[in-house]
Amino acid sequence: MESYGPLAASYDALTGDVPYGAFAEYYEKLLIREGKQSLTLLDLCCGTGTLTYLMAERGHEMIGVDLSEEMLSVAAAKLEDFRGGTKPIFLCQEASELDLFGTVEGAYCSLDGMNYLTPEELPELFRRLHLFIEPGGKLAFDFHSPERLRSLDGGTFVDEDEDMLCLWRAEFDEDEQALFYGLDIFRRKGRLWERESEEHVEYVHNPKALVSLLEECGFADVQLICDGPQHEMGRLYIVATNLEH
């Protein structure tokens, strides 16, 4: 069962409480380089592109990458209403197989996209980011703390409006060190309701292990930050500077 397939059409409606403006301002602050007002940036695991467009409106040239064709389809549809600067480019790629046309001046991965990657996938991703980020450029990302993922074990949550209901149930697996959660999405079709389902897995990443791995893959000045947007919900941040290739 795929992730971010059936959910894609309702994702923006279900995440209306996400403070995207705060995320845009914060990531810009983490990534900005002295003497530059705008950058060429990679938005890794960009989803429906909401943050990608906000960053583009702030003057940055954006490349959005995501594995879900359905999420990227929603992102591409937003181009019709885009009135910012340079239109973003969207690529359908698996994060650990990232392959850009050239280098970027910085990169970020927001809203726990990193938690969707297994620990085994991270070394190759960080090596590729080291290759595609210019020397001196920065990488920033957020992720759920291990404690946060464990705290969701057994949780059941519901989101709904007049025409849609989303029910999700979470279970933490200590052996896998991962949170498994299933989504049931019900949409009104005339007098009936149509049900679709998908499954998600988010993996625990130890903050100290992430710092060490980034250093091994060619990054320096790696900082763990605990006071970014949604820090009260267990969201942690890391920012690192890329070294010479």
Side-chain angles (χ1 to χ4, degrees):
M1 191 177 296
E2 64 178 331
S3 298
Y4 292 114
L7 179 61
S10 303
Y11 182 82
D12 286 345
L14 293 171
T15 56
D17 59 340
V18 174
Y20 282 106
F23 276 100
E25 183 175 349
Y26 191 71
Y27 273 113
E28 184 176 61
K29 178 182 176 182
L30 292 179
L31 296 172
I32 204 68
R33 300 175 69 172
E34 186 175 353
K36 290 206 169 191
Q37 296 299 315
S38 62
L39 301 171
T40 301
L41 296 176
L42 168 67
D43 184 343
L44 186 66
C45 304
C46 66
T48 61
T50 299
L51 189 55
T52 318
Y53 284 105
L54 285 177
M55 295 295 274
E57 290 172 356
R58 297 174 81 93
H60 305 289
E61 293 187 21
M62 300 301 302
I63 301 172
V65 171
D66 202 276
L67 179 60
S68 169
E69 294 182 5
E70 291 84 357
M71 295 286 273
L72 289 176
S73 178
V74 176
K78 296 177 182 178
L79 279 172
E80 296 181 3
D81 299 320
F82 179 63
R83 298 295 182 269
T86 304
K87 292 183 179 181
I89 297 171
F90 292 102
L91 303 175
C92 187
Q93 294 182 357
E94 190 167 345
S96 59
E97 297 179 1
L98 181 69
D99 189 12
L100 303 181
F101 304 116
T103 58
V104 293
E105 295 173 289
Y108 65 88
C109 182
S110 66
L111 295 169
D112 50 286
M114 283 290 178
N115 288 110
Y116 278 86
L117 293 155
T118 68
E120 293 75 21
E121 291 175 305
L122 289 181
E124 180 60 21
L125 170 62
F126 289 160
R127 284 192 288 268
R128 288 174 180 257
L129 287 168
H130 169 60
L131 174 65
F132 288 114
I133 298 175
E134 293 182 1
K138 293 183 179 181
L139 166 66
F141 60 87
D142 63 71
F143 62 103
H144 282 315
S145 69
E147 295 77 15
R148 171 61 176 173
L149 288 182
R150 291 190 178 94
S151 74
L152 296 173
D153 182 40
T156 301
F157 303 88
V158 177
D159 266 304
E160 63 180 318
D161 59 28
E162 290 185 358
D163 297 310
M164 184 271 298
L165 181 145
C166 180
L167 170 68
W168 72 278
R169 302 167 302 281
E171 180 178 349
F172 189 83
D173 189 309
E174 285 290 348
D175 292 333
E176 295 288 339
Q177 287 294 287
L179 181 73
F180 293 79
Y181 58 98
L183 289 172
D184 290 313
I185 305 163
F186 299 85
R187 294 189 179 91
R188 188 187 300 275
K189 300 291 184 180
R191 298 175 61 184
L192 304 177
W193 290 80
E194 179 181 76
R195 175 184 177 181
E196 296 180 284
S197 301
E198 61 183 54
E199 294 180 353
H200 295 241
V201 185
E202 294 199 32
Y203 297 90
V204 165
H205 296 315
N206 180 280
K208 291 183 178 179
L210 288 173
V211 172
S212 296
L213 182 58
L214 283 163
E215 292 173 341
E216 292 172 9
C217 293
F219 292 88
D221 190 25
V222 184
Q223 302 174 50
L224 176 65
I225 305 171
C226 304
D227 60 355
Q230 294 188 335
H231 65 91
E232 72 282 357
M233 299 171 62
R235 193 177 299 281
L236 303 176
Y237 293 77
I238 281 180
V239 60
T241 302
N242 198 25
L243 297 175
E244 294 284 344
H245 299 159

